[in-house]
Amino acid sequence: MHMPRQGRQQNSFEGENSSREPKSFDGLSASQSQHRGNGKYSGGRAAAASEAGAARAQVDVDLGDRSYPIYIGSDLLQEPHLLQQHVRGKRVLIVTNETIAPLYLDRCKDIMTQGGTQQVDAVVLPDGEQHKNMDVISAVWDAALKLRLDRKCIFVALGGGVIGDMTGFAAAAYQRGVSFLQIPTTVMAQVDSSVGGKTGVNHPLGKNMIGAFHQPDAVVIDISTLETLPDRELASGLSEVVKYGLIRDAAFFEWLEENMPRLMARDQEAFTYAIERSCINKAEVVAADEREGGVRATLNLGHTFGHAIENVAGYGNWLHGEAVAAGTVMAADLSLRLGWIDQDLFDRTLRILKAANLPVAPPEGMTKEQFMTAMAVDKKAENGTIKFILLKGPLGGCVVTGDFDPAALDATLSAFCSS
């Protein structure tokens, strides 16, 4: 749930970026703005985005002719050009939820129609992970069919990760695929779920088990929307930010250790930097492995345990990022028991998640049997073997594996479970 807060004004975007070299919003090249030089902006560890001057940024997801930009900055929902340049047809369907609609739907409609000829309609879904299912998503297709939208229409996801996943899946399936835009309004969606084309809904037996890969035409991240985000939701998204530092970006993790208080205080400069750096990491991984055949699976650190927590607790009772945070600590514990990381890295992982006000253990009363049953149907499982993303080596290293001592897993579950 978002609650109203006072917004801030920023300069407008100065023109469309026609090349695939990364640009900041003032039109400077990546090398000029200290974000990244040497060609396309596809993430990476070697050169971090500069916090200085990071009020606005653009990251490109490099997928050849399906590449798309991620715009990052404040008050972007006051700039019609950013969205309108990606609308090719005359019909737009905004998908949002009952919490976001009163805050941002009218503003989004206004900028989509300002100076243009687009007809903009909207469908408002109930809010919450518990509504991420086939019954609720059918309302999007019902609306599109009743409005007689054709294949040149575009869907717009206005909301958090649930809305983004559902809108993307609705777009992927409607008339066998139409375009869509992402306007994420939560930290979780801005740093993770809006980027990379994973879309879908939950099934009673497993999270995100029904879906498709369907890339957006663009992602517009308006940092100002975080001003209406509750503290619990903000903290939930930070679990995914921490993840990037643990699995591939040690320098970013160290920055997070120093700057977590600024993020918790909603410092816009710090958040712009953290979101940009997260998107750089996500974009590089997606460009290398769009459909999760290899390295992209590393982005699921903490998710095997975490999805089990969400499933057993009931979707919506634990936020996704809360479950991932507890799952990340469990994955770090398993890594430590296997001898793959040292005690210091485990302690730092625990400390930074606590600093973000995130849970570091599963719900009280959750059993080993419940974990094993839920993890057996995880998407990463292969031929009956549960796979984990585990930390290995120094900070920034990890592996995807099902090859580990089962006694270590049992010991981890015993340490965190009641029975």
Side-chain angles (χ1 to χ4, degrees):
M1 178 181 293
H2 287 238
M3 299 296 291
R5 290 176 182 256
Q6 182 66 35
R8 297 189 181 94
Q9 294 290 328
Q10 292 282 352
N11 296 327
S12 61
F13 180 52
E14 299 179 10
E16 181 177 357
N17 174 26
S18 59
S19 75
R20 280 295 163 190
E21 185 181 6
K23 299 292 181 72
S24 64
F25 270 54
D26 58 7
L28 296 176
S29 70
S31 56
Q32 291 171 310
S33 63
Q34 299 182 38
H35 294 321
R36 184 175 310 282
N38 301 324
K40 295 180 180 178
Y41 209 174
S42 58
R45 292 171 274 185
S50 171
E51 185 182 355
R56 294 207 168 182
Q58 177 175 327
V59 177
D60 286 343
V61 181
D62 184 7
L63 294 171
D65 60 3
R66 293 176 299 109
S67 298
Y68 55 91
I70 306 167
Y71 307 112
I72 307 166
S74 296
D75 294 314
L76 302 189
L77 291 183
Q78 297 182 23
E79 301 182 21
H81 173 71
L82 282 184
L83 291 176
Q84 289 183 5
Q85 67 180 314
H86 297 287
V87 178
R88 300 179 181 86
K90 299 292 185 182
R91 305 293 300 277
V92 178
L93 181 64
I94 300 174
V95 182
T96 188
N97 65 41
E98 57 198 10
T99 300
I100 296 298
L103 295 171
Y104 303 115
L105 179 56
D106 286 344
R107 188 187 310 180
C108 194
K109 282 183 174 180
D110 288 344
I111 64 171
M112 296 296 290
T113 56
Q114 203 173 109
T117 60
Q118 286 83 14
Q119 177 180 331
V120 180
D121 295 284
V123 57
V124 180
L125 304 179
D127 186 13
E129 184 81 26
Q130 66 270 33
H131 301 295
K132 187 180 176 183
N133 56 54
M134 290 296 291
D135 289 339
V136 174
I137 199 175
S138 291
V140 180
W141 295 316
D142 291 345
L145 289 167
K146 290 175 182 177
L147 292 166
R148 298 184 180 180
L149 301 186
D150 60 26
R151 285 181 173 175
K152 291 185 179 180
C153 75
I154 189 166
F155 290 4
V156 177
L158 176 64
V162 171
I163 285 294
D165 284 4
M166 294 178 74
T167 304
F169 184 40
Y174 185 67
Q175 296 194 10
R176 297 188 174 92
V178 298
S179 297
F180 86 109
L181 298 175
Q182 288 269 21
I183 306 178
T185 61
T186 65
V187 178
M188 176 66 67
Q190 290 175 355
V191 303
D192 185 61
S193 61
S194 68
V195 179
K198 280 188 178 181
T199 72
V201 295
N202 298 330
H203 186 276
L205 296 179
K207 183 177 172 69
N208 293 330
M209 296 301 289
I210 313 298
F213 287 94
H214 190 58
Q215 300 292 343
D217 283 22
V219 180
V220 178
I221 299 176
D222 188 337
I223 305 294
S224 303
T225 61
L226 299 183
E227 295 176 354
T228 61
L229 192 66
D231 291 342
R232 184 183 174 195
E233 289 273 3
L234 185 135
S236 174
L238 290 175
S239 66
E240 297 284 4
V241 177
V242 170
K243 169 191 72 180
Y244 293 115
L246 284 170
I247 66 170
R248 67 189 325 269
D249 195 340
F252 184 37
F253 186 89
E254 291 165 355
W255 182 90
L256 289 169
E257 289 180 307
E258 294 180 6
N259 290 278
M260 187 59 72
R262 294 176 63 194
L263 295 175
M264 299 302 289
R266 300 172 188 260
D267 182 295
Q268 282 207 356
E269 184 179 51
F271 250 112
T272 301
Y273 174 74
I275 291 168
E276 179 187 15
R277 185 118 172 197
S278 297
C279 287
I280 291 170
N281 278 290
K282 181 71 177 281
E284 181 178 71
V285 173
V286 171
D289 178 22
E290 180 182 1
R291 292 182 174 264
E292 201 169 299
V295 67
R296 185 167 180 176
T298 62
L299 297 176
N300 291 311
L301 175 69
H303 285 59
T304 305
F305 291 115
H307 285 173
I309 292 170
E310 288 184 89
N311 182 273
V312 173
Y315 295 122
N317 291 318
W318 273 53
L319 297 178
H320 176 64
E322 293 172 337
V324 167
T328 296
V329 175
M330 294 179 74
D333 180 89
L334 178 54
S335 302
L336 179 63
R337 292 178 188 277
L338 291 168
W340 293 356
I341 63 170
D342 58 23
Q343 185 68 47
D344 178 65
L345 181 51
F346 175 83
D347 292 343
R348 292 171 72 185
T349 301
L350 190 68
R351 190 161 50 244
I352 197 169
L353 292 171
K354 285 183 175 180
N357 289 337
L358 286 162
V360 293
E364 186 176 352
M366 192 166 174
T367 66
K368 291 195 289 184
E369 182 181 1
Q370 288 175 319
F371 264 110
M372 294 302 295
T373 299
M375 292 189 300
V377 295
D378 187 83
K379 295 188 300 299
K380 296 179 293 299
E382 292 183 3
N383 300 318
T385 299
I386 300 172
K387 285 194 169 185
F388 292 94
I389 292 78
L390 300 176
L391 303 177
K392 190 169 187 178
L395 175 63
C398 67
V399 294
V400 181
T401 183
D403 185 15
F404 53 85
D405 183 358
L409 174 59
D410 185 72
T412 290
L413 292 175
S414 294
F416 286 91
C417 295
S418 59
S419 61

